Amino acid sequence: TTTTTTTTTGERERAASSEKMNEQEVAVQISQMVQFIRKEAEEKANEIRAAAQEEYTIQKQTMVEAEKAKIRKEYERKRSQIDTKKAIESSTQLNTARLKVLQAQQDAIDQAVENARSFLPQLAQNAGEYKQLMGALLLQAVKRFGSGSDLKVRCLQKDAAIVSEQINAAKQGYTAATKQQAPQVSVDAANPLTDAMGGVVVSTSDGKIVCNNTLDARLAIVSRQALPELRQVLFAEAPNLIRV
């Protein structure tokens, strides 16, 4: 009986000790599991933080680039506006300068023509040359009409005698140039010229066809025809002027 009682007591002690060890192992295992879970949670949290930081960085960079692009676009727009404004102002200034140059050139040409016009009355001072000139003007005008025409010649009252003297020569010149009979030509003494420097106005008797061959008309024609040469003479020494 004593032996049996001793054995039972030992078994109980061993069982209690074994149960105590199992509890310690369970506690250790639980602690390890908690640490593992905590580690996993921390790693996951770090991953989430890293992903969030990366997403934030990307979003931030995207926003920054978008703002940069917006600023660049606005800058280009304003620069384009400024460039356009400058171009318009420059073009306006250039056009204004060109107009001023053109006006100055035209004024100089007009003055040259007026100077020539003021010289026309002096042509009559040399009687021989003036008579020859009047004959040439008369012939030139008569040649513009047909051989069967009846022509009237108007001239300054003071030139009527000279023109009358040149009629026969003009008719002969007409026949020589055209190989046709010359038209009838007479001075229209009743209607002398009053607004010309000299020369003649030849017309048909009915006045339907008129040839103005006055000195004034010839000057106007020569001025137009000689305009390029006149510009060259007047402005040859101004190569640095604005091109017009």
Side-chain angles (χ1 to χ4, degrees):
T1 303
T2 304
T3 302
T4 302
T5 302
T6 302
T7 300
T8 302
T9 303
E11 290 176 351
R12 289 178 178 175
E13 290 177 352
R14 285 195 296 273
S17 176
S18 175
E19 183 177 352
K20 185 175 181 180
M21 289 180 64
N22 288 337
E23 290 177 355
Q24 291 177 350
E25 291 176 354
V26 169
V28 170
Q29 290 179 355
I30 291 173
S31 176
Q32 290 176 346
M33 291 178 65
V34 169
Q35 291 177 359
F36 176 78
I37 293 171
R38 182 176 298 162
K39 183 178 180 181
E40 288 290 323
E42 289 178 353
E43 291 179 352
K44 191 65 176 177
N46 289 335
E47 289 179 1
I48 292 173
R49 280 194 294 270
Q53 182 63 38
E54 183 179 2
E55 181 67 19
Y56 168 75
T57 302
I58 293 173
Q59 290 293 333
K60 179 182 177 182
Q61 188 65 27
T62 300
M63 292 176 65
V64 170
E65 292 299 326
E67 286 300 317
K68 286 182 178 180
K70 183 178 179 181
I71 292 172
R72 283 194 295 268
K73 184 176 180 181
E74 181 65 16
Y75 169 77
E76 291 296 332
R77 185 183 69 82
K78 289 184 178 180
R79 189 179 69 174
S80 177
Q81 288 180 341
I82 293 174
D83 291 343
T84 300
K85 183 178 179 181
K86 287 183 178 180
I88 293 174
E89 291 177 350
S90 177
S91 177
T92 301
Q93 292 174 357
L94 182 59
N95 288 336
T96 301
R98 284 175 174 170
L99 290 175
K100 288 182 179 179
V101 170
L102 283 173
Q103 186 59 53
Q105 291 182 351
Q106 188 60 49
D107 291 344
I109 291 172
D110 292 344
Q111 185 59 50
V113 173
E114 285 303 315
N115 291 341
R117 187 186 305 279
S118 65
F119 177 76
L120 293 180
Q122 300 179 27
L123 295 175
Q125 294 179 1
N126 188 318
E129 291 183 359
Y130 188 65
K131 181 178 180 179
Q132 185 177 359
L133 174 62
M134 292 295 289
L137 292 172
L138 178 61
L139 173 60
Q140 187 179 47
V142 171
K143 285 164 58 177
R144 294 182 177 274
F145 296 86
S147 62
S149 302
D150 182 8
L151 306 179
K152 297 293 184 181
V153 182
R154 296 177 63 203
C155 62
L156 295 176
Q157 189 172 6
K158 69 180 184 64
D159 294 335
I162 297 176
V163 173
S164 296
E165 293 177 5
Q166 294 298 315
I167 288 178
N168 287 333
K171 293 173 69 174
Q172 292 175 3
Y174 180 95
T175 300
T178 64
K179 309 303 181 184
Q180 296 179 356
Q181 183 178 355
Q184 295 298 316
V185 182
S186 61
V187 175
D188 187 0
N191 297 292
L193 297 177
T194 57
D195 56 353
M197 295 289 185
V200 296
V201 174
V202 179
S203 64
T204 55
S205 57
D206 57 9
K208 291 183 177 179
I209 303 175
V210 180
C211 176
N212 186 345
N213 217 24
T214 59
L215 295 179
D216 309 73
R218 298 307 303 173
L219 177 61
I221 293 173
V222 170
S223 299
R224 289 194 299 269
Q225 292 176 343
L227 187 59
E229 292 81 2
L230 189 58
R231 287 184 181 275
Q232 183 63 30
V233 170
L234 291 175
F235 313 120
E237 297 181 359
N240 295 323
L241 287 176
I242 296 175
R243 294 184 180 273
V244 294

